Amino acid sequence: DYGNSDIIAPLFQKYFKKGKIDWDFEEEKDELLQKLDLVRQKADSAYKNETKTKSFRGTEGQGRNNLFLTYKLSNAEQSTDPAAVRQTIRKLTSKFGTSYLDLVSLHSPLTGSSRRLATYKALLQMKEEGYIRSVGVCNYGVCHLKEIVENGMPLPSMNQLELSPFNTHGPIVQFCKQNNVLIGCAAWSRLSSADGPVEKWEKLGQLAKAKGVTKAQILVRWALQKGYACAPRSGTKSKLERIAIAENSYGGVVDFLLSGEEMNLLDNLNVDYKSGKLGRKDGWKEEDVKGSDWEPSAC
């Protein structure tokens, strides 16, 4: 969420060079840097299908090693021209004062076979050169993943899906697990809206109330116990929202577990709730969202 911010990027550059010293900026950014000093790199264990270690470029120092920076290439940024893809990534690393990104993912497969394959290949090349540590995808169905293999390329490190107990993406998750592709999920706020699965959401709420936690905490705990990588969005200036993010992230769900019975209860909420029903438009063009049954991972 900080990737396109002209305000936050210079702060990262300073952090990479010197660590957290004598900061003079708004409270929420000071809080951000305090969190950065506590972060520890999790990539080695998270991306199990990365079997080769490269000598990465960069002299950012220890501050950079404690961060995990990710970026999603939008559909507009995907290109059949490798030079255009390279330019996008190099501009971003220059903007943040870092020589590499830990994970770069394609936002969706909706650009068509030629563009998504060419973009993916360009990212793999940048990985070989040390500008990227891991290449991922988002919203990829089984057919899109098989397409990568059929074109002689390795599968991605991660596939991020709009994943919840209401839409478990069973076939995609099974394929990814069988092929050592980490499953990721991030935001669930739309599930609680008027467009969400109201009856199922109420059942989840009853479980949250019984355990004395928030519904979002239940979702995070469910995802973690499934073995998924998940993280709430964090680009906010609201103090209340920052508190909610802290409660509903990894640190906020360490004090409780979901029993096998409770996990089964959540799994049984699955109704293959389509993205189109959520009314989500961020990252998509109007013409992409083709009605209530639309799903970006559909093959």
Side-chain angles (χ1 to χ4, degrees):
D1 288 328
Y2 298 110
N4 295 321
S5 171
D6 292 326
I7 298 174
I8 206 75
L11 301 179
F12 276 136
Q13 292 181 27
K14 184 176 179 181
Y15 176 80
F16 293 153
K17 293 178 180 178
K18 299 181 179 180
K20 181 180 179 293
I21 56 169
D22 300 326
W23 295 98
D24 182 21
F25 43 83
E26 298 174 76
E27 179 184 352
E28 63 269 12
K29 295 184 179 64
D30 182 57
E31 182 179 77
L32 167 66
L33 269 297
Q34 289 179 34
K35 297 297 183 185
L36 294 181
D37 274 344
L38 299 175
V39 170
R40 289 296 177 263
Q41 177 63 268
K42 301 293 185 182
D44 289 342
S45 60
Y47 302 109
K48 296 178 182 178
N49 64 336
E50 296 300 319
T51 58
K52 295 182 179 179
T53 301
K54 295 293 181 182
S55 176
F56 296 105
R57 303 170 186 266
T59 56
E60 296 94 336
Q62 187 62 36
R64 176 63 182 91
N65 293 334
N66 290 338
L67 296 173
F68 192 88
L69 294 181
T70 73
Y71 185 75
K72 287 184 185 179
L73 281 172
S74 68
N75 291 347
E77 290 170 324
Q78 293 186 39
S79 175
T80 55
D81 180 7
V85 178
R86 294 177 64 87
Q87 184 179 36
T88 298
I89 301 303
R90 292 305 307 276
K91 280 185 176 181
L92 191 68
T93 55
S94 176
K95 180 178 181 178
F96 276 84
T98 181
S99 57
Y100 68 92
L101 297 174
D102 295 282
L103 173 68
V104 177
S105 301
L106 281 72
H107 175 61
S108 87
L110 299 183
T111 55
S113 180
S114 297
R115 278 177 65 191
R116 62 179 177 250
L117 286 172
T119 302
Y120 189 81
K121 184 176 181 179
L123 293 180
L124 290 176
Q125 182 60 42
M126 295 197 76
K127 177 189 168 187
E128 287 295 313
E129 297 169 2
Y131 293 109
I132 299 170
R133 288 195 168 180
S134 296
V135 178
V137 296
C138 304
N139 305 295
Y140 267 46
V142 173
C143 63
H144 308 120
L145 294 168
K146 287 183 175 180
E147 176 187 67
I148 292 173
V149 178
E150 291 165 356
N151 281 270
M153 294 181 285
L155 286 167
S157 298
M158 173 187 277
N159 184 14
Q160 182 176 314
L161 300 167
E162 191 163 276
L163 193 65
S164 75
F166 314 118
N167 191 359
T168 57
H169 290 288
I172 304 174
V173 169
Q174 182 180 13
F175 180 89
C176 288
K177 286 187 174 182
Q178 289 173 344
N179 290 277
N180 210 21
V181 176
L182 182 68
I183 292 292
C185 49
W188 297 285
S189 59
R190 294 291 301 184
L191 292 172
S192 62
S193 71
D195 299 315
V198 177
E199 181 181 348
K200 303 291 185 178
W201 187 252
E202 289 178 354
K203 290 184 178 180
L204 187 147
Q206 291 169 6
L207 176 60
K209 184 177 181 181
K211 297 190 78 69
V213 297
T214 68
K215 290 186 284 291
Q217 284 175 310
I218 292 290
L219 289 170
V220 173
R221 187 73 251 178
W222 171 84
L224 290 177
Q225 289 183 215
K226 284 286 190 180
Y228 307 150
C230 60
R233 299 185 182 215
S234 54
T236 176
K237 294 183 179 181
S238 163
K239 184 175 181 179
L240 289 176
E241 289 181 14
R242 291 202 308 272
I243 292 172
I245 288 168
E247 289 178 345
N248 301 330
S249 60
Y250 291 168
V253 298
V254 296
D255 295 331
F256 75 97
L257 291 172
L258 296 170
S259 68
E261 182 180 352
E262 289 166 340
M263 290 292 288
N264 288 334
L265 183 153
L266 292 172
D267 289 340
N268 287 332
L269 296 179
N270 180 52
V271 288
D272 294 328
Y273 204 85
K274 306 300 184 184
S275 296
K277 291 183 179 179
L278 294 175
R280 187 184 297 280
K281 296 294 190 294
D282 50 316
W284 312 111
K285 293 182 179 179
E286 288 289 336
E287 57 266 29
D288 289 333
V289 184
K290 303 180 186 301
S292 60
D293 289 331
W294 174 78
E295 186 67 52
S297 60
C299 293

